[in-house]
Amino acid sequence: MSTTRVAIVTGGSRGIGRAVAERLGREGYAVVVNYASKKADADEAVEAIEKAGGQAFAVAADVADETAMASVFDQAEERFGGVDVVVHAAGVMPLAPIAELDLAVLDRVLRTNVRGTFVVDQQAARRLRAGGAIVNFSSSITRFLRPGYAAYGASKGAVEAATVILARELRGRDITVNAVAPGPTATALFLDGKSEELISTLAKEPPLERLGQPEDIAEVVAFLAGPARWVNGQVLYANGGAI
């Protein structure tokens, strides 16, 4: 059986997820790029990984659909022999004050960000090989607590709680479970709908005086996925020191 480590990256077609998929590909992982709907973007991510000498394939699945995600893990096992790392980067971030929040939008946020985390982590907990790692995505908004972010922040607070509890539940399995909590990062998810003035203001908040880049976050994920065996049950705030 191949000794190549295998990673599933949800939300792997764009933004931070794509940067993570490509970084793990360069680290020698065989990568399964999971995406929701943008097949062309996912195919580009696979092509980039393969051009750099890696192995990858893309598969569409709704992270909140347990049957669809079980199929993603099935395909990873069939193609590559098993799964070692799961990076759950998929998420949505609509913004609105609580008083004006459409509860249907809240339901969508909770379905994708909270149920999706439970669905993905459940499959990972059942299937990961010893020496594996689960990396969830929270957000520094759980510390920033900015107006308009209540639905998103609440969903990420749930992710943080689930992450730490799962790490404890996997005692004896030699599997680490951590979460990365990025600050403002230059992705479409963050930049869409924001004025240049607001983006400039947010970029000046960290002592490093810039927005994070997807590659900055991918570096943290690669650390947690591989060498960081003694980091477990933690939330790592990757925000340039903004708070």
Side-chain angles (χ1 to χ4, degrees), residues 16 93 136-144 146 152 156 160 179-187 190 212-214 216-218 220-221 235-240 242:
I16 291 172
M93 190 177 66
N136 290 324
F137 265 80
S138 179
S139 166
S140 288
I141 203 66
T142 59
R143 288 187 174 181
F144 297 157
R146 291 194 173 99
Y152 183 69
K156 293 305 185 180
E160 293 189 5
V180 178
T185 305
T187 67
F190 172 76
Q213 297 298 315
D216 294 322
I217 312 305
V220 178
V221 174
V235 180
L236 274 66
Y237 287 84
N239 56 35

Side-chain angles (χ1 to χ4, degrees), residues 60-162:
D62 174 1
V63 294
D65 181 333
E66 61 270 35
T67 302
M69 286 312 301
S71 177
V72 173
F73 279 76
D74 289 343
Q75 291 177 65
E77 292 172 350
E78 290 165 6
R79 181 79 67 92
F80 296 132
V83 182
D84 302 284
V85 171
V86 172
V87 181
H88 180 43
V92 296
M93 190 177 66
L95 306 180
I98 290 175
E100 301 169 14
L101 179 64
D102 182 337
L103 294 181
V105 172
L106 174 63
D107 289 343
R108 182 167 69 90
V109 172
L110 296 179
R111 184 180 188 278
T112 299
N113 293 1
V114 180
R115 180 185 169 90
T117 298
F118 275 79
V119 167
V120 173
D121 282 8
Q122 187 175 70
Q123 289 296 320
R126 293 171 178 173
R127 303 208 195 195
L128 255 61
R129 297 185 283 208
I134 299 169
V135 183
N136 290 324
F137 265 80
S138 179
S139 166
S140 288
I141 203 66
T142 59
R143 288 187 174 181
F144 297 157
L145 299 175
R146 291 194 173 99
Y149 285 82
Y152 183 69
S155 74
K156 293 305 185 180
V159 169
E160 293 189 5

Side-chain angles (χ1 to χ4, degrees), residues 156-220:
K156 293 305 185 180
V159 169
E160 293 189 5
T163 295
V164 177
I165 290 169
L166 181 57
R168 294 172 178 173
E169 290 177 348
L170 294 183
R171 173 181 293 274
R173 292 274 305 279
D174 189 24
I175 294 170
T176 63
V177 189
N178 296 287
V180 178
T185 305
T187 67
L189 181 68
F190 172 76
L191 296 173
D192 285 354
K194 293 183 174 67
S195 67
E196 289 296 327
E197 181 181 8
L198 177 57
I199 292 169
S200 178
T201 298
L202 294 173
K204 291 176 182 175
E205 285 186 352
L208 298 177
E209 295 190 331
R210 65 173 177 85
L211 292 178
Q213 297 298 315
E215 293 74 18
D216 294 322
I217 312 305
E219 184 173 10
V220 178

